[in-house]
Amino acid sequence: MNVPPHHDEEEVHLFIERMAMAFADVGFPRMAARVLFTVMSADGPLTAGEIAERLGVSAAAVSGAVRYLTQFAMLVREPVKGSRSDRYRMPDNPWYEATITKTTIYKNFIDIAAGGVDALHGRSTPAGERVAEMRDFFLFVQEELESLGDRWRARRAATGHGGPAVG
């Protein structure tokens, strides 16, 4: 691994692998997690080749992982001037971007569940009640995420990160 001297190379490697395993344990693709935490632990943007070198894997493995991560706004791709390669970096607020701003997934669940409730004649049957409960839960989560996003932006601003609080 090519890590700046002020980092403990072995400890950084252990951090990357432990976080990747923790994310994989909850269903996140392991290679994508390894790439994510490799980029996170770098002091600047990295090319796919540099990521592959740090992880000891092929460029093809990194390519699939960065494609996955850029889809979810967990990585930002930037062209390298005068080259055909790209560099990858973390966005300014990746956890917010990947969770709070992607509430359209809940809207989709809510809409589909609402159709299921209608198909099951509302809450008048046990199956209709279960689907209505799922719909209501996703509505609650969507509403809470919006409020949580406001509180997160205020907290970041209060600690000197991310500009002024919005709310």
Side-chain angles (χ1 to χ4, degrees), residues 117-135:
V117 171
D118 290 345
L120 295 165
H121 304 291
R123 293 182 182 263
S124 64
T125 65
E129 175 61 30
R130 283 191 299 272
V131 175
E133 180 74 13
M134 179 181 67
R135 178 204 57 210

Side-chain angles (χ1 to χ4, degrees), residues 41-63:
S41 65
D43 289 328
L46 299 172
T47 65
E50 291 167 333
I51 296 167
E53 180 183 323
R54 288 181 183 214
L55 291 174
V57 299
S58 71
V62 170
S63 175

